[in-house]
Amino acid sequence: MTRKQQRIFAIVLVLFGAGLAVGLSLLALKENVTYFYYPSDIAEEKKEIPRNRDFRMGGLVVDGSVEKSGEVTRFVITDTVHTTSVTYTGILPDLFREGQGVIATGRLNEESVFVARTLLAKHDENYMPPEVARALEKAKVKIE
Amino acid sequence: MHKYANPKKYKALSKYILTASLGLALALLGWGLYLALIASPPDYQQSETVRIMYIHVPAAWLSMFIYASMTVAAIVLTIWRHTLAGFYIRAAAPIGACFTAACLISGALWGQPTWGTWWVWDARLTSVLILFFLYLGAIALSNAYDNPDKGNQATAWLVIVGSVNLPIIKFSVDWWNTLHQPASLTSFSRMAAPGIHHDMLVPLLVMAGGFLCLYVVLVILRLDNEIAARKIHVLRLKAING
């Protein structure tokens, strides 16, 4: 092997080694890297849901499920397969509305209601002017 | 390509590229800022906050593009020992760090009103923060050696190892549940049907072009500085050694 080939070999080896190390670490930390759980993760018990510490739940706020009484907001989130009931005490983020993606931090109580300590609104990857959004909404209603 | 690895040949060519990209950067950034801040519509959900995207997304693209280009330079330096490739890594790292900082700061300013938080430790945000630290590490390491060639080679290895982070940043939003939204444009399913309306897509792409030209201007100026600094270094050594 020439010196140049040795150096190429070294680069490939280093990249492979670093990639493998990082890949295996991320695989081992999979549960920790996951920022939030979906209602299906609880219902299907596929993933280990922490019982005695706070974790995050994410999903879409179900249409018509939002009930407000003073500072307390009750609503249901869905991942379109399963649902979880959530109660949250505090100021709602600006983007909070029915149909919106949200992420709540808290824990499940005995009645399997998720008691949220903080609430974040999730933004999706679609950007459009208000007129276009209204036109899309109208078209959707027509189809239904 | 090997021809332009010679600093003299590079200098002759870079003069023309510098002038062209300076003009293009001014034109595109002027036009892009007008479109982004005045002519484009507000968003149906975020209203005016969406305008932060026209800075945030091009800065994010550039932060990854610059690191990718540094990785190519690091491989070229390691295999062929082209001095100019080492200069490029030194020249590009601080600019890349600035674009990454711009991306992180503009993202925090957008996250506060939109999500309800400045910062979360989700996979996308954390991996971009690591990219920022990789840039800082590259700057520090390249200046940590008395022999600049040795410093550049050590930095090249750091850059090559750190390039593992690039696919993690790109695919973090697909591999894990994150607060950060997935890509609107740069994924296979999104190429055909972008998630951004045409009236917002045009200013975004114009700004991205402007940022890219601005980067070319800055990196050429810094490369000239690196070449001059190396000449001073060589002259100093000669003066000391007689």
Side-chain angles (χ1 to χ4, degrees), chain B residues 64-88:
Chain B
M64 291 178 71
F65 169 79
I66 294 169
Y67 198 92
S69 73
M70 282 165 61
T71 308
V72 173
I75 291 172
V76 169
L77 177 70
T78 309
I79 297 176
W80 289 287
R81 304 279 194 236
H82 284 328
T83 320
L84 200 60
F87 290 174
Y88 178 81

Side-chain angles (χ1 to χ4, degrees), chain B residues 151-235:
Chain B
N152 291 353
Q153 187 54 63
T155 312
W157 282 115
L158 172 72
V159 170
I160 290 171
V161 172
S163 69
V164 173
N165 192 30
L166 287 182
I168 296 178
I169 295 176
K170 173 74 191 91
F171 296 110
S172 55
V173 287
D174 304 319
W175 290 344
W176 301 290
N177 302 337
T178 54
L179 180 59
H180 194 286
Q181 57 271 36
S184 305
L185 295 172
T186 50
S187 69
F188 285 114
S189 56
R190 281 292 182 177
M191 290 284 185
I196 302 183
H197 188 265
H198 177 262
D199 292 348
M200 299 168 164
L201 185 57
V202 173
L204 179 63
L205 294 179
V206 173
M207 284 297 284
F211 269 50
L212 184 63
C213 293
L214 177 67
Y215 168 67
V216 172
V217 171
L218 292 174
V219 83
I220 287 178
L221 291 176
R222 278 194 50 81
L223 262 172
D224 289 347
N225 282 350
E226 288 299 330
I227 294 170
R230 176 56 68 93
K231 278 184 188 153
I232 293 171
H233 181 78
V234 171
L235 288 175

Side-chain angles (χ1 to χ4, degrees), chain B residues 22 60 83 118 200 240:
Chain B
L22 182 61
T83 320
W118 301 100
M200 299 168 164
I240 293 168

